Structure formats: C-alpha cells, structure tokens
Amino acid sequence: MSVHIKSPSGEASVEISLHGATLLSWVLSGKELIFLSKLANASNPTSGKGIRGGIPIVFPNFGPWECGPQHGFARGKVWTCVQNTGHCVVLELTSDEETKNIWNYDFKLTYTVTLNGHSLETSLSVDNLGTEAFDFTTLLHTYLRVPAVQNIRISGLENIGFHDSLTKKYIEGIDGDIQGINENVDRVYANTPNIHLLKFDETHIKVEKTNLPDTVLWNPWSDKAKGMNDFGDDEYLEMVCIEAGKVAERQFLEPSENWQCKQVLTA
Ligand code: BG6
C-alpha cells in the first residue's frame, strides 16, 4: 500500500503510504529525517484513522470538527496513485459517498511529492468539482525526527504571537529562536514568515511554505504520549511537529476554482 521514489542522484528516498497519502519516510544520505512512531502500524493502518507520524494531510478541517473526525477525513482515506516517474509521485483523492456523508461537497485533492537532491517538495491542490462553494482549513502535519527535542532550535517564529491551544489564550511572541522544547506544546502561529529553520547537531532543515500562511508547533510531551495508543511513551523526545497550514482563516473555493499550496523541506 505504499509507493517509493528516489532523487535523481539516488542519495535520497521517500516512501508514501496510499493511506492518507502519508509520507512515511525521507532518507537522505542514510539518515531518516521523518518521525514515524514505532506503534503506528503503518503497514496495516486503520481505515478512517490517520497514521501516527510522517506527513499526514489535514483536510478539510484542522482540529476538532463538528461534521467528522478531528483533522478531517483525508488522512484516513485510501488515495490513488496516478503517476510515478521514479522521483515524483502524484496521488489523488476525490469525494465519494463516504466523504459526502460527512461533508457534502464534490472535490479533488492532488498531492505531488518530488525529490530533488536535498529537497523534498510536497504540493497540494484542491479543486471544487461541485456546483456549490465550500470552505476548508488544511495543513501538512509534518513530524520531523530529532535526536533530542530538548536540544533543537527553531527559527522563523520569533516575535510572533500565537494561540496556545492548551490554555486557549493568546501569547505574545518572544525574541530569538525557540531553544529546546521541554513541555507539551500546542501552538497556532498565524501569518508566519515563509521560512523556518529547524537545527539540531550538524543538521539544518529548512521548511519553506507557499500559500500556507500559518504554522502549528506541537509536541505532546510525556503525559499525552502515554495517553496515545499509537505512540510510544518516550517517543515525544524524538520528534517535533512543525506544521505548515492554512488554519487561522478558512479558505473559500467557488465551483470550478482551484487552490494550491506547497511545502519544500531542504536538509
Ligand atoms: C496538532 C494539534 O496539529 O495535532 C494538536 O494542534 C493535536 O491539538 C495534534 O493533538 C495531534 O492530533 P491527532 O488527531 O493526530 O492526535
């Protein structure tokens, strides 16, 4: 149930599950850069549920949703591979009876993953195929693998206030890089710069986003990790989610209209 691509030089490879079009692995020069929980059961995922780790696609709703599952249905559906050139793969998801029972709109999602040298490009395109306008929020829920989350640095979020999803309060931004994560963090930063940099050891990972104005930063930390049955108790130390999204304001799409966004990770 998964597809593989390699960079033209062969030094990078990617695995993507058709389940949710979830990118499961990105290996560059022998090093895995994406976090996938050892309890994720990615080879036999549960229908309707997301895979814990990788890059799940959140659509058509970020967070709790009155119509259906948290973060929408796209991450729990089986997508179709429509093209694989060896270093670029195109996956599609179109509305069906099940999605229309939850959210009664006709849509097509096209997800293109391209490996170029040290860059991993993921772009998502949304088409409104119906006769009614709809609105959505969306996000690339990227789980990055880190050796020790307490020692990471993240730049690109300095001096930007955020909505703290834990306390439901707005918190003013602070100067300088985020230096280490030492607790449960669940933040929505609206209107962020298009480039963030994650740094650990000798590694720098650049997150570059296009038409994704917002950034979610998440780490469940110890207590929440223990409460998740698809996440190891200590795995919170090995990951951070830097999630590029369109979440602070909903995106409207008229019939026949198309909307596109992109994230490029460069290591
Ligand atoms: C983040 C949210 O994007 O995803 C968190 O900000 C949420 O609130 C996390 O806990 C994981 O969500 P889920 O549905 O995959 O457990």
PDB file of all heavy atoms in Angstrom, residues 229-254:
ATOM      1  N   ASN A 229      -2.440   5.509  22.060  1.00  0.00           N
ATOM      2  CA  ASN A 229      -2.099   4.084  21.915  1.00  0.00           C
ATOM      3  C   ASN A 229      -1.282   3.799  20.657  1.00  0.00           C
ATOM      4  O   ASN A 229      -0.810   2.694  20.472  1.00  0.00           O
ATOM      5  CB  ASN A 229      -3.349   3.195  21.991  1.00  0.00           C
ATOM      6  CG  ASN A 229      -4.351   3.551  20.917  1.00  0.00           C
ATOM      7  OD1 ASN A 229      -4.028   4.290  19.980  1.00  0.00           O
ATOM      8  ND2 ASN A 229      -5.565   3.050  21.040  1.00  0.00           N
ATOM      9  N   ASP A 230      -1.089   4.815  19.806  1.00  0.00           N
ATOM     10  CA  ASP A 230      -0.272   4.609  18.606  1.00  0.00           C
ATOM     11  C   ASP A 230       1.030   5.412  18.686  1.00  0.00           C
ATOM     12  O   ASP A 230       1.590   5.829  17.677  1.00  0.00           O
ATOM     13  CB  ASP A 230      -1.060   4.977  17.341  1.00  0.00           C
ATOM     14  CG  ASP A 230      -1.600   6.402  17.382  1.00  0.00           C
ATOM     15  OD1 ASP A 230      -1.433   7.099  18.417  1.00  0.00           O
ATOM     16  OD2 ASP A 230      -2.193   6.829  16.378  1.00  0.00           O
ATOM     17  N   PHE A 231       1.504   5.650  19.910  1.00  0.00           N
ATOM     18  CA  PHE A 231       2.703   6.476  20.111  1.00  0.00           C
ATOM     19  C   PHE A 231       3.422   5.938  21.343  1.00  0.00           C
ATOM     20  O   PHE A 231       2.808   5.758  22.398  1.00  0.00           O
ATOM     21  CB  PHE A 231       2.228   7.923  20.326  1.00  0.00           C
ATOM     22  CG  PHE A 231       3.295   8.980  20.303  1.00  0.00           C
ATOM     23  CD1 PHE A 231       3.649   9.609  19.115  1.00  0.00           C
ATOM     24  CD2 PHE A 231       3.926   9.379  21.474  1.00  0.00           C
ATOM     25  CE1 PHE A 231       4.622  10.607  19.095  1.00  0.00           C
ATOM     26  CE2 PHE A 231       4.903  10.372  21.462  1.00  0.00           C
ATOM     27  CZ  PHE A 231       5.244  10.990  20.262  1.00  0.00           C
ATOM     28  N   GLY A 232       4.729   5.663  21.208  1.00  0.00           N
ATOM     29  CA  GLY A 232       5.491   5.121  22.340  1.00  0.00           C
ATOM     30  C   GLY A 232       5.604   6.145  23.471  1.00  0.00           C
ATOM     31  O   GLY A 232       5.637   7.352  23.227  1.00  0.00           O
ATOM     32  N   ASP A 233       5.700   5.653  24.697  1.00  0.00           N
ATOM     33  CA  ASP A 233       5.703   6.538  25.871  1.00  0.00           C
ATOM     34  C   ASP A 233       6.842   7.567  25.844  1.00  0.00           C
ATOM     35  O   ASP A 233       6.675   8.672  26.351  1.00  0.00           O
ATOM     36  CB  ASP A 233       5.837   5.706  27.157  1.00  0.00           C
ATOM     37  CG  ASP A 233       4.552   4.951  27.468  1.00  0.00           C
ATOM     38  OD1 ASP A 233       3.572   5.105  26.704  1.00  0.00           O
ATOM     39  OD2 ASP A 233       4.534   4.204  28.473  1.00  0.00           O
ATOM     40  N   ASP A 234       7.986   7.184  25.290  1.00  0.00           N
ATOM     41  CA  ASP A 234       9.139   8.094  25.308  1.00  0.00           C
ATOM     42  C   ASP A 234       9.416   8.746  23.959  1.00  0.00           C
ATOM     43  O   ASP A 234      10.402   9.476  23.819  1.00  0.00           O
ATOM     44  CB  ASP A 234      10.402   7.325  25.743  1.00  0.00           C
ATOM     45  CG  ASP A 234      10.264   6.821  27.171  1.00  0.00           C
ATOM     46  OD1 ASP A 234       9.648   7.538  27.988  1.00  0.00           O
ATOM     47  OD2 ASP A 234      10.748   5.703  27.450  1.00  0.00           O
ATOM     48  N   GLU A 235       8.571   8.481  22.974  1.00  0.00           N
ATOM     49  CA  GLU A 235       8.874   8.959  21.619  1.00  0.00           C
ATOM     50  C   GLU A 235       8.749  10.480  21.467  1.00  0.00           C
ATOM     51  O   GLU A 235       9.238  11.040  20.491  1.00  0.00           O
ATOM     52  CB  GLU A 235       7.981   8.251  20.594  1.00  0.00           C
ATOM     53  CG  GLU A 235       8.377   6.800  20.356  1.00  0.00           C
ATOM     54  CD  GLU A 235       7.583   6.152  19.234  1.00  0.00           C
ATOM     55  OE1 GLU A 235       6.344   6.275  19.214  1.00  0.00           O
ATOM     56  OE2 GLU A 235       8.208   5.519  18.377  1.00  0.00           O
ATOM     57  N   TYR A 236       8.090  11.125  22.420  1.00  0.00           N
ATOM     58  CA  TYR A 236       7.964  12.589  22.336  1.00  0.00           C
ATOM     59  C   TYR A 236       9.334  13.273  22.337  1.00  0.00           C
ATOM     60  O   TYR A 236       9.476  14.408  21.879  1.00  0.00           O
ATOM     61  CB  TYR A 236       7.086  13.122  23.497  1.00  0.00           C
ATOM     62  CG  TYR A 236       7.709  12.941  24.853  1.00  0.00           C
ATOM     63  CD1 TYR A 236       8.457  13.954  25.440  1.00  0.00           C
ATOM     64  CD2 TYR A 236       7.558  11.738  25.549  1.00  0.00           C
ATOM     65  CE1 TYR A 236       9.047  13.775  26.685  1.00  0.00           C
ATOM     66  CE2 TYR A 236       8.149  11.556  26.785  1.00  0.00           C
ATOM     67  CZ  TYR A 236       8.892  12.568  27.345  1.00  0.00           C
ATOM     68  OH  TYR A 236       9.484  12.400  28.559  1.00  0.00           O
ATOM     69  N   LEU A 237      10.338  12.574  22.839  1.00  0.00           N
ATOM     70  CA  LEU A 237      11.691  13.142  22.872  1.00  0.00           C
ATOM     71  C   LEU A 237      12.349  13.156  21.495  1.00  0.00           C
ATOM     72  O   LEU A 237      13.318  13.870  21.274  1.00  0.00           O
ATOM     73  CB  LEU A 237      12.572  12.342  23.850  1.00  0.00           C
ATOM     74  CG  LEU A 237      12.133  12.413  25.305  1.00  0.00           C
ATOM     75  CD1 LEU A 237      12.875  11.374  26.139  1.00  0.00           C
ATOM     76  CD2 LEU A 237      12.377  13.814  25.877  1.00  0.00           C
ATOM     77  N   GLU A 238      11.802  12.364  20.565  1.00  0.00           N
ATOM     78  CA  GLU A 238      12.449  12.161  19.259  1.00  0.00           C
ATOM     79  C   GLU A 238      11.734  12.877  18.129  1.00  0.00           C
ATOM     80  O   GLU A 238      11.980  12.570  16.958  1.00  0.00           O
ATOM     81  CB  GLU A 238      12.442  10.661  18.908  1.00  0.00           C
ATOM     82  CG  GLU A 238      13.165   9.769  19.853  1.00  0.00           C
ATOM     83  CD  GLU A 238      12.775   8.307  19.625  1.00  0.00           C
ATOM     84  OE1 GLU A 238      12.295   7.962  18.533  1.00  0.00           O
ATOM     85  OE2 GLU A 238      12.934   7.525  20.573  1.00  0.00           O
ATOM     86  N   MET A 239      10.800  13.730  18.419  1.00  0.00           N
ATOM     87  CA  MET A 239      10.027  14.335  17.329  1.00  0.00           C
ATOM     88  C   MET A 239       9.611  15.761  17.676  1.00  0.00           C
ATOM     89  O   MET A 239       9.547  16.151  18.829  1.00  0.00           O
ATOM     90  CB  MET A 239       8.766  13.516  17.001  1.00  0.00           C
ATOM     91  CG  MET A 239       7.828  13.166  18.150  1.00  0.00           C
ATOM     92  SD  MET A 239       6.822  14.482  18.887  1.00  0.00           S
ATOM     93  CE  MET A 239       5.710  14.898  17.594  1.00  0.00           C
ATOM     94  N   VAL A 240       9.346  16.498  16.596  1.00  0.00           N
ATOM     95  CA  VAL A 240       8.652  17.777  16.737  1.00  0.00           C
ATOM     96  C   VAL A 240       7.799  17.938  15.489  1.00  0.00           C
ATOM     97  O   VAL A 240       8.212  17.569  14.392  1.00  0.00           O
ATOM     98  CB  VAL A 240       9.639  18.954  16.928  1.00  0.00           C
ATOM     99  CG1 VAL A 240      10.553  19.151  15.730  1.00  0.00           C
ATOM    100  CG2 VAL A 240       8.882  20.254  17.223  1.00  0.00           C
ATOM    101  N   CYS A 241       6.588  18.431  15.680  1.00  0.00           N
ATOM    102  CA  CYS A 241       5.744  18.716  14.517  1.00  0.00           C
ATOM    103  C   CYS A 241       5.814  20.202  14.218  1.00  0.00           C
ATOM    104  O   CYS A 241       5.480  21.036  15.077  1.00  0.00           O
ATOM    105  CB  CYS A 241       4.291  18.322  14.782  1.00  0.00           C
ATOM    106  SG  CYS A 241       4.013  16.556  14.712  1.00  0.00           S
ATOM    107  N   ILE A 242       6.297  20.520  13.027  1.00  0.00           N
ATOM    108  CA  ILE A 242       6.236  21.891  12.508  1.00  0.00           C
ATOM    109  C   ILE A 242       5.292  21.785  11.319  1.00  0.00           C
ATOM    110  O   ILE A 242       5.614  21.149  10.321  1.00  0.00           O
ATOM    111  CB  ILE A 242       7.628  22.401  12.088  1.00  0.00           C
ATOM    112  CG1 ILE A 242       8.588  22.372  13.293  1.00  0.00           C
ATOM    113  CG2 ILE A 242       7.532  23.815  11.517  1.00  0.00           C
ATOM    114  CD1 ILE A 242      10.022  22.794  12.954  1.00  0.00           C
ATOM    115  N   GLU A 243       4.105  22.337  11.472  1.00  0.00           N
ATOM    116  CA  GLU A 243       3.017  22.047  10.538  1.00  0.00           C
ATOM    117  C   GLU A 243       2.634  23.313   9.776  1.00  0.00           C
ATOM    118  O   GLU A 243       2.135  24.275  10.358  1.00  0.00           O
ATOM    119  CB  GLU A 243       1.809  21.513  11.319  1.00  0.00           C
ATOM    120  CG  GLU A 243       2.179  20.397  12.280  1.00  0.00           C
ATOM    121  CD  GLU A 243       1.102  20.122  13.331  1.00  0.00           C
ATOM    122  OE1 GLU A 243      -0.089  20.433  13.093  1.00  0.00           O
ATOM    123  OE2 GLU A 243       1.445  19.606  14.400  1.00  0.00           O
ATOM    124  N   ALA A 244       2.892  23.297   8.475  1.00  0.00           N
ATOM    125  CA  ALA A 244       2.556  24.452   7.639  1.00  0.00           C
ATOM    126  C   ALA A 244       1.088  24.341   7.242  1.00  0.00           C
ATOM    127  O   ALA A 244       0.657  23.301   6.731  1.00  0.00           O
ATOM    128  CB  ALA A 244       3.440  24.456   6.403  1.00  0.00           C
ATOM    129  N   GLY A 245       0.335  25.397   7.471  1.00  0.00           N
ATOM    130  CA  GLY A 245      -1.096  25.260   7.210  1.00  0.00           C
ATOM    131  C   GLY A 245      -1.800  26.534   6.815  1.00  0.00           C
ATOM    132  O   GLY A 245      -1.252  27.643   6.855  1.00  0.00           O
ATOM    133  N   LYS A 246      -3.032  26.324   6.423  1.00  0.00           N
ATOM    134  CA  LYS A 246      -3.987  27.418   6.208  1.00  0.00           C
ATOM    135  C   LYS A 246      -5.083  27.118   7.223  1.00  0.00           C
ATOM    136  O   LYS A 246      -6.006  26.345   6.940  1.00  0.00           O
ATOM    137  CB  LYS A 246      -4.500  27.358   4.755  1.00  0.00           C
ATOM    138  CG  LYS A 246      -5.697  28.233   4.453  1.00  0.00           C
ATOM    139  CD  LYS A 246      -5.317  29.657   4.202  1.00  0.00           C
ATOM    140  CE  LYS A 246      -6.565  30.507   4.000  1.00  0.00           C
ATOM    141  NZ  LYS A 246      -6.292  31.940   3.989  1.00  0.00           N
ATOM    142  N   VAL A 247      -4.890  27.618   8.440  1.00  0.00           N
ATOM    143  CA  VAL A 247      -5.784  27.202   9.522  1.00  0.00           C
ATOM    144  C   VAL A 247      -6.424  28.358  10.284  1.00  0.00           C
ATOM    145  O   VAL A 247      -7.510  28.204  10.840  1.00  0.00           O
ATOM    146  CB  VAL A 247      -5.059  26.268  10.539  1.00  0.00           C
ATOM    147  CG1 VAL A 247      -4.641  24.980   9.870  1.00  0.00           C
ATOM    148  CG2 VAL A 247      -3.852  26.931  11.180  1.00  0.00           C
ATOM    149  N   ALA A 248      -5.757  29.509  10.320  1.00  0.00           N
ATOM    150  CA  ALA A 248      -6.290  30.610  11.129  1.00  0.00           C
ATOM    151  C   ALA A 248      -7.559  31.175  10.493  1.00  0.00           C
ATOM    152  O   ALA A 248      -8.481  31.610  11.181  1.00  0.00           O
ATOM    153  CB  ALA A 248      -5.236  31.695  11.307  1.00  0.00           C
ATOM    154  N   GLU A 249      -7.584  31.171   9.172  1.00  0.00           N
ATOM    155  CA  GLU A 249      -8.801  31.589   8.447  1.00  0.00           C
ATOM    156  C   GLU A 249      -9.147  30.520   7.441  1.00  0.00           C
ATOM    157  O   GLU A 249      -8.251  29.928   6.821  1.00  0.00           O
ATOM    158  CB  GLU A 249      -8.546  32.905   7.704  1.00  0.00           C
ATOM    159  CG  GLU A 249      -8.500  34.078   8.642  1.00  0.00           C
ATOM    160  CD  GLU A 249      -8.241  35.391   7.919  1.00  0.00           C
ATOM    161  OE1 GLU A 249      -8.224  35.408   6.677  1.00  0.00           O
ATOM    162  OE2 GLU A 249      -8.056  36.379   8.637  1.00  0.00           O
ATOM    163  N   ARG A 250     -10.435  30.301   7.247  1.00  0.00           N
ATOM    164  CA  ARG A 250     -10.855  29.260   6.303  1.00  0.00           C
ATOM    165  C   ARG A 250     -10.639  29.741   4.866  1.00  0.00           C
ATOM    166  O   ARG A 250     -10.720  30.928   4.578  1.00  0.00           O
ATOM    167  CB  ARG A 250     -12.326  28.880   6.539  1.00  0.00           C
ATOM    168  CG  ARG A 250     -12.564  28.360   7.960  1.00  0.00           C
ATOM    169  CD  ARG A 250     -13.935  27.766   8.140  1.00  0.00           C
ATOM    170  NE  ARG A 250     -14.064  26.449   7.538  1.00  0.00           N
ATOM    171  CZ  ARG A 250     -13.605  25.329   8.093  1.00  0.00           C
ATOM    172  NH1 ARG A 250     -12.994  25.357   9.245  1.00  0.00           N
ATOM    173  NH2 ARG A 250     -13.768  24.171   7.487  1.00  0.00           N
ATOM    174  N   GLN A 251     -10.342  28.797   3.995  1.00  0.00           N
ATOM    175  CA  GLN A 251     -10.182  29.102   2.572  1.00  0.00           C
ATOM    176  C   GLN A 251     -11.504  28.815   1.868  1.00  0.00           C
ATOM    177  O   GLN A 251     -12.042  27.721   1.979  1.00  0.00           O
ATOM    178  CB  GLN A 251      -9.070  28.232   1.979  1.00  0.00           C
ATOM    179  CG  GLN A 251      -8.863  28.408   0.494  1.00  0.00           C
ATOM    180  CD  GLN A 251      -8.333  29.791   0.140  1.00  0.00           C
ATOM    181  OE1 GLN A 251      -7.410  30.295   0.764  1.00  0.00           O
ATOM    182  NE2 GLN A 251      -8.937  30.415  -0.865  1.00  0.00           N
ATOM    183  N   PHE A 252     -12.012  29.784   1.131  1.00  0.00           N
ATOM    184  CA  PHE A 252     -13.253  29.578   0.357  1.00  0.00           C
ATOM    185  C   PHE A 252     -12.891  29.202  -1.063  1.00  0.00           C
ATOM    186  O   PHE A 252     -11.921  29.710  -1.626  1.00  0.00           O
ATOM    187  CB  PHE A 252     -14.114  30.845   0.376  1.00  0.00           C
ATOM    188  CG  PHE A 252     -14.789  31.040   1.707  1.00  0.00           C
ATOM    189  CD1 PHE A 252     -14.107  31.632   2.762  1.00  0.00           C
ATOM    190  CD2 PHE A 252     -16.083  30.591   1.919  1.00  0.00           C
ATOM    191  CE1 PHE A 252     -14.699  31.774   4.007  1.00  0.00           C
ATOM    192  CE2 PHE A 252     -16.684  30.732   3.166  1.00  0.00           C
ATOM    193  CZ  PHE A 252     -15.997  31.326   4.214  1.00  0.00           C
ATOM    194  N   LEU A 253     -13.669  28.320  -1.628  1.00  0.00           N
ATOM    195  CA  LEU A 253     -13.422  27.892  -3.004  1.00  0.00           C
ATOM    196  C   LEU A 253     -14.755  27.802  -3.746  1.00  0.00           C
ATOM    197  O   LEU A 253     -15.636  27.021  -3.373  1.00  0.00           O
ATOM    198  CB  LEU A 253     -12.720  26.523  -2.983  1.00  0.00           C
ATOM    199  CG  LEU A 253     -11.808  26.181  -4.152  1.00  0.00           C
ATOM    200  CD1 LEU A 253     -10.711  27.208  -4.351  1.00  0.00           C
ATOM    201  CD2 LEU A 253     -11.180  24.796  -3.930  1.00  0.00           C
ATOM    202  N   GLU A 254     -14.863  28.616  -4.802  1.00  0.00           N
ATOM    203  CA  GLU A 254     -16.084  28.628  -5.611  1.00  0.00           C
ATOM    204  C   GLU A 254     -16.089  27.417  -6.553  1.00  0.00           C
ATOM    205  O   GLU A 254     -15.033  26.822  -6.812  1.00  0.00           O
ATOM    206  CB  GLU A 254     -16.127  29.914  -6.464  1.00  0.00           C
ATOM    207  CG  GLU A 254     -16.204  31.213  -5.671  1.00  0.00           C
ATOM    208  CD  GLU A 254     -17.528  31.384  -4.930  1.00  0.00           C
ATOM    209  OE1 GLU A 254     -18.542  30.812  -5.388  1.00  0.00           O
ATOM    210  OE2 GLU A 254     -17.531  32.068  -3.900  1.00  0.00           O
TER     211      GLU A 254
END
